[in-house]
Amino acid sequence: MKIVQHKPTHPGVFINRVYLTPHDIRSNELSRKLQVSTGLVSRMLNGKTDVSPAMAIKLSKVLGRTAESWLAMQDNYNLWLARKDIDLNKYEAISFA
């Protein structure tokens, strides 16, 4: 039986949906608080760039949650993408008999 995983939310999309939109916070305010460029924040909020370990630490301070939780969210998203793109039928397991 194959288990189908639904597409996880990219952390940037999550930030926009949970933190910014409901509280009427603009991306330029977030970029100032994170001390990064508005372009970087825009790409992150649109799911075009990954949350790095450094960004995870900054997000932890500015928005809350742990840096580990931000990285785990990014890893889950990246793993989902990889599973979707990689054809495992081309690979064979090593036998350790």
Side-chain angles (χ1 to χ4, degrees):
M1 180 171 102
K2 184 176 180 181
I3 297 174
V4 177
Q5 179 187 7
H6 295 285
K7 182 179 180 181
T9 303
H10 184 279
V13 174
F14 177 83
I15 290 166
N16 206 6
R17 190 178 302 147
V18 172
Y19 293 95
L20 303 188
T21 300
H23 301 286
D24 199 30
I25 299 169
R26 303 286 175 235
S27 61
N28 60 352
E29 181 180 348
L30 180 61
S31 66
R32 279 195 306 276
K33 296 285 188 179
L34 293 170
Q35 298 181 21
V36 298
S37 73
T38 55
L40 175 59
V41 168
S42 176
R43 289 189 304 277
M44 180 181 65
L45 295 178
N46 289 304
K48 304 291 184 199
T49 192
D50 289 355
V51 170
S52 68
M55 179 61 78
I57 292 168
K58 293 175 184 183
L59 288 170
S60 178
K61 175 66 177 183
V62 172
L63 296 178
R65 303 172 58 102
T66 64
E68 292 82 1
S69 72
W70 291 113
L71 290 175
M73 190 181 297
Q74 185 66 61
D75 284 345
N76 286 334
Y77 181 80
N78 291 347
L79 186 58
W80 182 86
L81 287 176
R83 283 188 172 135
K84 186 176 75 114
D85 292 339
I86 296 173
D87 179 7
L88 292 179
N89 291 322
K90 299 189 300 185
Y91 300 90
E92 186 176 320
I94 296 173
S95 175
F96 295 100

